[in-house]
Amino acid sequence: GGCGGRGGARLAMCPPGVAAPWHLGDGRIRGVPALGERCRERGPANAAAASASGGARRSSWRGSLGGVVQLWCGTSLERLDIDAILGPKILQADGRMGFMDEAADWFHLDSADQKLLAYKAAKQNRQMAKTVKEMAARAEEDAWERAASESPATRTRMRCELETKRAAVQWTPIGLETVSEGHDKFAPGMIYGLPFPWSEETLVQLGPAWLTQAFHACRSMPKSNRVTKVVVDAAKITAGNNSGKFLFEVEYAQPDPSLHTRLFAKVPFPMTAATKSDRFSSSVYKQPMDLMEINSYRLFESFFPTKIPRFYYGDISNETSNFILITERVAFAELDGTGRRSLAPFEVEGPYEKCKDFQLRERDAEYYSQLMRVSARIAAAHKTGRFGSEELLASSGLSRPRAGSDWRAWGGNPAAATGLPPQDLRQKLAMAVDFVSSTARPLYPGYVREERFQRKFMSTMMTRAAYHAEIDFWKHSHPDYVALGHQNLNIDNAYFWRDAGGRLDCGIYDFGGFGSSCLGHKLYWIFNCSDFEQFRDNLDDYLRTFIDTYRTDGGPHIDVEVLRMQVILTALENLQFMVLAVPNCFKMCAAKEWATIKDRHDPRISENVDGKSTLRTTLHCLGNGVRILEELRADEVLESWVREVYVGAWGQEAKTDAIIRGLPA
């Protein structure tokens, strides 16, 4: 017989004590005790029950008496609550519990029939629990979408709140072989688990369906909408040194003024002859810079105290090193050339290019002062907790460990140089001296050809390298001088506009390397590509602007002389980077060309080469470093640090000339 409703036919029963010979439908045999329970003969629980059943004896199991049992259903163990009179409790769609019609006569059923119904109830509950969970998730999703639809700012805030609750993504360091073998392969992203495009061609290949899935995954677009069309712009972006970039436009099934149709994508450099070394640099030597940038947008977009482009999607693969970042496209008003027409309030100036301050529409100092304020506000927002806990920042890769009190733990060594090996560095410095005094002579001040300056250059740079780890420790040793900030806020990483009253304001982007580190270090990296004269003439004002804004917005008070020392020592460190890049200058501009280059505006060195500003940046920053050494007396600042900090505060003896030069003791 089959299962009937209340009052329906009873299940066919085997004689008492005899197991039914057929299967229960899930691989187990009817009559086999649940979870090892042994069946036993017993009489009715009481006289009334005995009378109702005619006094028949039947086999019983734990579920016969009611209570909670556990049953294997397929591969899962299900918990089932059984009422001693009404039988198994059944989960209903509204979340309440009911009972099975078939089990209305539960007490009178044979144990084998009870087990059959128990398994049926357990399976039904399992499926209903899944359905209820899905219904609850859909209801929660619908409620989230209704709340997020209030405004783009609300969606951004709610999206960031969800992202900060995700498990942290842990990056595993990779080598050159990972890039070489994986640069042209699809792989799931570490954050959202979707295979993703890493170039214009692969974005077109995956198309609108992928963009829809991606935007839904990070909740940057309502679930009720979808992307229906994607077109990559023909215009090429050749700015920057760390990644490829392109523009594209999309159409949505439901036009929505809160969604941008003109978008920007940042992807790795391709592994071509012209950009292979740059790809290795960004993906390996600067790792996980790309993940840090994605996390800056993904986690903290709504926390920034300044405007940044709206985030639509970003992910990276630890397996291939590929990544993609998609944001709104900044609406630059002067793509046809800067300064050619007047701009209305809130129209975005530029874009401006790195190392080309002459493009700025107004006085340089106004723009750099605004960058000081923005940097100070971000640092203060970190100090006041706006960006969340230190644990969140650390798990996101945006906060480095505190320096503590042991400078030796940071690689300090009183008996050795802690930077580049002295012998190797000396050779590279000699090449740089020859480059600025001979090869590229018209680009640099006349004093670079003087023996006096060349001796000072060699001595200062060798000394700084000897104390490299110790200086780095000192720069990060006081928490008031360590905070979140942009790592490279040149004018090409900001976008400026004026309000109706003519007041300058700006937003920022390009957050590769964004994180918590030395404030003075970050400040110099704002100016390393600026024109030296305005830096020299306004440095004290810039530092005061930063300090005042930092304090006003909730940060601690810091000392201007300490901050200035950090900036100047960082300038010497940056100068060393440029020294190491001198050989690459000959790769980007052949040796025979230099004899006819007369100034910085020669297009052979002023324009991007192979889609990168690397050559122009190297030449410009090298010049700034040289002039800071000579005209701002960076050598004396370094000597003061050794005397006041290393010797005075730390109680060490200054490193000997033999240590600095790498000579035998």
Side-chain angles (χ1 to χ4, degrees):
C3 294
R6 293 190 184 275
R10 292 279 303 278
L11 287 172
M13 298 175 60
C14 294
V18 178
W22 54 84
H23 286 269
L24 291 174
D26 65 348
R28 290 171 174 76
I29 304 298
R30 177 187 290 181
V32 175
L35 293 180
E37 287 291 320
R38 294 180 60 83
C39 290
R40 65 184 186 278
E41 292 293 327
R42 70 169 178 81
N46 53 52
S51 174
S53 64
R57 293 177 61 82
R58 59 188 178 84
S59 61
S60 66
W61 62 297
R62 178 181 293 178
S64 298
L65 304 177
V68 177
V69 298
Q70 290 181 303
L71 304 172
W72 282 104
C73 294
T75 59
S76 63
L77 189 63
E78 300 297 324
R79 184 178 184 276
L80 182 67
D81 193 359
I82 299 176
D83 184 271
I85 303 300
L86 300 176
K89 295 182 180 180
I90 302 300
L91 178 64
Q92 301 180 79
D94 61 2
R96 294 184 297 176
M97 303 302 293
F99 295 92
M100 303 174 71
D101 288 344
E102 302 97 311
D105 208 15
W106 178 256
F107 184 80
H108 294 93
L109 296 179
D110 180 83
S111 64
D113 297 325
Q114 288 179 337
K115 288 182 182 180
L116 178 63
L117 291 177
Y119 275 109
K120 179 179 179 181
K123 291 179 180 179
Q124 182 176 327
N125 283 350
R126 179 179 62 183
Q127 182 58 45
M128 182 57 71
K130 180 180 178 182
T131 300
V132 169
K133 184 177 181 180
E134 291 172 350
M135 291 170 60
R138 285 195 296 271
E140 183 179 357
E141 180 75 20
D142 291 344
W144 192 96
E145 287 289 348
R146 285 194 299 273
S149 66
E150 177 181 322
S151 68
T154 300
R155 175 173 291 276
T156 296
R157 175 182 56 78
M158 293 177 63
R159 183 192 63 74
C160 288
E161 289 173 353
L162 284 180
E163 292 289 352
T164 57
K165 295 175 183 177
R166 282 179 178 267
V169 174
Q170 300 297 327
W171 179 262
T172 301
I174 62 173
L176 300 177
E177 66 282 354
T178 299
V179 183
S180 298
E181 297 171 4
H183 70 94
D184 59 351
K185 294 181 174 63
F186 285 101
M190 299 177 66
I191 301 169
Y192 299 107
L194 302 176
F196 58 85
W198 64 88
S199 64
E200 300 171 54
E201 295 77 16
T202 52
L203 177 64
V204 172
Q205 178 183 342
L206 295 182
W210 179 84
L211 282 169
T212 298
Q213 189 179 16
F215 292 177
H216 285 168
C218 64
R219 299 179 185 247
S220 57
M221 179 178 73
K223 288 292 179 71
S224 59
N225 210 342
R226 59 189 175 88
V227 178
T228 59
K229 184 178 181 180
V230 55
V231 178
V232 175
D233 283 14
K236 300 297 182 182
I237 302 178
T238 58
N241 304 321
N242 291 310
S243 64
K245 305 172 181 71
F246 64 90
L247 306 173
F248 66 100
E249 296 188 36
V250 298
E251 292 181 5
Y252 300 101
Q254 303 170 30
D256 184 341
S258 71
L259 295 175
H260 296 87
T261 58
R262 297 164 64 84
L263 301 174
F264 164 88
K266 190 171 185 178
V267 293
F269 276 128
M271 289 285 281
T272 62
T275 58
K276 183 177 181 179
S277 62
D278 300 279
R279 174 63 184 272
F280 282 143
S281 175
S282 59
S283 292
V284 179
Y285 304 132
K286 298 177 182 178
Q287 64 177 305
M289 177 183 68
D290 301 318
L291 175 59
M292 293 169 69
E293 177 166 23
I294 292 169
N295 279 342
S296 299
Y297 282 101
R298 178 177 70 90
L299 297 168
F300 304 114
E301 178 185 356
S302 68
F303 304 155
F304 275 91
T306 188
K307 184 172 176 57
I308 69 172
R310 183 172 168 186
F311 172 79
Y312 278 85
Y313 183 80
D315 213 336
I316 188 170
S317 169
N318 214 160
E319 178 183 345
T320 67
S321 80
N322 287 332
F323 75 93
I324 188 168
L325 171 66
I326 300 175
T327 70
E328 71 168 281
R329 186 189 312 184
V330 176
F332 288 111
E334 301 180 285
L335 293 172
D336 56 344
T338 58
R340 296 184 180 182
R341 64 179 179 86
S342 60
L343 299 180
F346 302 104
E347 278 195 286
V348 179
E349 301 177 12
Y352 296 126
E353 295 182 74
K354 195 183 299 289
C355 305
K356 293 187 177 182
D357 284 0
F358 56 83
Q359 294 178 334
L360 297 172
R361 297 177 68 93
E362 302 292 343
R363 192 171 61 93
D364 298 5
E366 187 178 8
Y367 291 84
Y368 284 102
S369 293
Q370 183 60 25
L371 294 179
M372 290 292 102
R373 296 185 190 96
V374 166
S375 298
R377 288 169 187 151
I378 293 173
H382 174 202
K383 292 302 185 183
T384 57
R386 179 167 174 165
F387 282 93
S389 68
E390 290 300 319
E391 291 75 14
L392 172 63
L393 294 171
S395 67
S396 305
L398 303 185
S399 179
R400 63 190 298 180
R402 285 280 304 277
S405 59
D406 185 4
W407 53 273
R408 292 175 178 82
W410 273 48
N413 186 346
T418 56
L420 291 177
Q423 300 293 345
D424 293 345
L425 178 59
R426 185 181 297 108
Q427 294 178 4
K428 292 176 171 59
L429 291 172
M431 180 183 295
V433 167
D434 182 69
F435 182 77
V436 299
S437 63
S438 179
T439 304
R441 177 175 177 172
L443 306 180
Y444 301 104
Y447 55 71
V448 300
R449 297 187 292 277
E450 298 175 7
E451 184 179 351
R452 168 200 61 81
F453 173 80
Q454 294 177 8
R455 285 198 305 269
K456 179 166 66 174
F457 175 80
M458 295 290 291
S459 174
T460 302
M461 297 304 290
M462 293 292 292
T463 301
R464 193 220 66 84
Y467 290 98
H468 174 80
E470 292 85 353
I471 292 173
D472 192 43
F473 168 84
W474 172 77
K475 286 164 61 175
H476 293 88
S477 61
H478 197 298
D480 290 352
Y481 295 83
V482 177
L484 282 177
H486 198 292
Q487 196 68 16
N488 178 29
L489 193 50
N490 301 144
I491 58 169
D492 64 316
N493 291 330
Y495 51 106
F496 300 89
W497 66 89
R498 293 182 184 275
D499 63 18
R503 186 178 67 89
L504 186 70
D505 202 350
C506 76
I508 61 176
Y509 52 78
D510 195 1
F511 291 99
F514 180 82
S516 179
S517 58
C518 171
L519 292 175
H521 184 101
K522 298 179 202 295
L523 295 191
Y524 181 70
W525 277 78
I526 293 175
F527 295 108
N528 66 336
C529 290
S530 71
D531 283 348
F532 173 76
E533 290 79 8
Q534 69 83 24
F535 173 73
R536 176 195 61 202
D537 297 343
N538 298 291
L539 177 58
D540 291 341
D541 289 338
Y542 291 146
L543 296 181
R544 282 193 291 269
T545 296
F546 180 90
I547 290 171
D548 291 346
T549 307
Y550 187 40
R551 184 71 185 93
T552 300
D553 280 43
H557 176 73
I558 56 177
D559 184 81
V560 66
E561 291 304 321
V562 173
L563 189 63
R564 190 178 194 278
M565 180 176 280
Q566 290 181 349
V567 169
I568 299 300
L569 292 179
T570 301
L572 292 177
E573 180 183 358
N574 186 253
L575 177 55
Q576 179 179 294
F577 292 157
M578 299 306 112
V579 165
L580 301 181
V582 165
N584 191 55
C585 294
F586 293 102
K587 295 180 181 179
M588 305 189 81
C589 182
K592 64 181 181 180
E593 302 290 337
W594 291 96
T596 56
I597 292 175
K598 301 303 180 184
D599 58 50
R600 62 181 284 199
H601 301 292
D602 189 301
R604 289 172 289 181
I605 60 173
S606 67
E607 300 307 310
N608 293 338
V609 179
D610 295 326
K612 301 169 295 182
S613 60
T614 306
L615 177 59
R616 180 174 73 247
T617 300
T618 301
L619 298 174
H620 194 91
C621 293
L622 188 60
N624 278 347
V626 163
R627 296 190 68 178
I628 289 171
L629 171 57
E630 174 69 9
E631 299 174 41
L632 294 184
R633 300 178 178 178
D635 56 323
E636 296 178 10
V637 175
L638 177 60
E639 291 171 1
S640 295
W641 181 87
V642 173
R643 182 176 60 254
E644 297 169 10
V645 178
Y646 190 76
V647 176
W650 296 359
Q652 301 296 309
E653 292 186 4
K655 295 187 180 184
T656 65
D657 187 61
I659 291 175
I660 291 171
R661 298 173 61 190
L663 302 176

